[in-house]
Amino acid sequence: MKIRIADIIEESFVDGEGVRFAIFVQGCHHNCKGCHNPATHDFNGGKLVDTEQIIVKFKNAPLISGITLTGGEPLCQIKAVTELAIAAKESGLSVWCYTGCVYEELIGNLNESDKRFFTLDEISHFLKYVDVLVDGPFIESQRDLTMSFCGSRNQRLIDIPKSRDQKIFIPWTSH
Ligand code: SF4
């Protein structure tokens, strides 16, 4: 399968807990004011690569504890990121995903702009392979440089397995 990406950082220390293989997916429809990464917005930008190539790279990365899907908006290429997440879990790696979407919408009520890119069923399937979802758009007025792993106070680090089991939002906490 092909995926359009902006970049890969094979050993990132800032895109989640531990050393992570960070995949910056190209294309984002949120247009957050003050976005830290506007070069990733263009759906025709970046480069097309095979998911298999990426999988081989992270499976052979000796130091990482997991992969991070970031961007851009990873969910706009839901089939490709699901394939990456499944491969990571099969290799014993954890999966973090950043999204400009809000978790409650992803599990129950997609807005019209999100519906252009993915369905609730696709998201539900994808989230089975996600450990931590960092959700919400970047809101400039809530920017906070002191937060770990996110940029504005509205954004949340969500423990997806626990949230799914208990059917309410459960924040992720470092082990
Ligand atoms: S969701 Fe992320 S990449 Fe997209 S506009 Fe907002 S901050 Fe930028």
Side-chain angles (χ1 to χ4, degrees), residues 27-38 40-41 71-73 99-101 136-138 155:
C28 181
H29 59 304
H30 295 292
N31 281 315
C32 307
K33 188 167 175 276
C35 168
H36 58 292
N37 215 351
T40 62
H41 294 185
E73 174 53 74
T99 177
C101 303
F138 173 70
Q155 295 172 325

Side-chain angles (χ1 to χ4, degrees), residues 3-110:
I3 183 168
R4 188 173 286 277
I5 61 165
D7 201 4
I8 286 175
I9 296 179
E10 298 194 13
E11 289 176 9
S12 167
F13 297 86
V14 296
D15 296 296
E17 190 176 50
V19 184
R20 312 196 66 81
F21 188 98
I23 303 153
F24 290 79
V25 177
Q26 181 72 28
C28 181
H29 59 304
H30 295 292
N31 281 315
C32 307
K33 188 167 175 276
C35 168
H36 58 292
N37 215 351
T40 62
H41 294 185
D42 181 359
F43 284 97
N44 296 310
K47 57 187 173 190
L48 267 181
V49 297
D50 285 316
T51 45
E52 197 49 46
Q53 276 180 290
I54 299 176
I55 290 167
V56 167
K57 274 191 185 168
F58 68 61
K59 280 189 171 175
N60 289 295
L63 296 177
I64 61 169
S65 55
I67 69 166
T68 296
L69 301 159
T70 184
E73 174 53 74
L75 301 184
C76 287
Q77 297 184 66
I78 189 68
K79 288 186 173 61
V81 295
T82 301
E83 187 180 315
L84 296 175
I86 290 172
K89 296 304 285 181
E90 283 173 355
S91 303
L93 297 168
S94 65
V95 176
W96 281 48
C97 179
Y98 283 75
T99 177
C101 303
V102 175
Y103 178 61
E104 285 74 9
E105 292 187 358
L106 292 175
I107 60 168
N109 190 17
L110 293 183

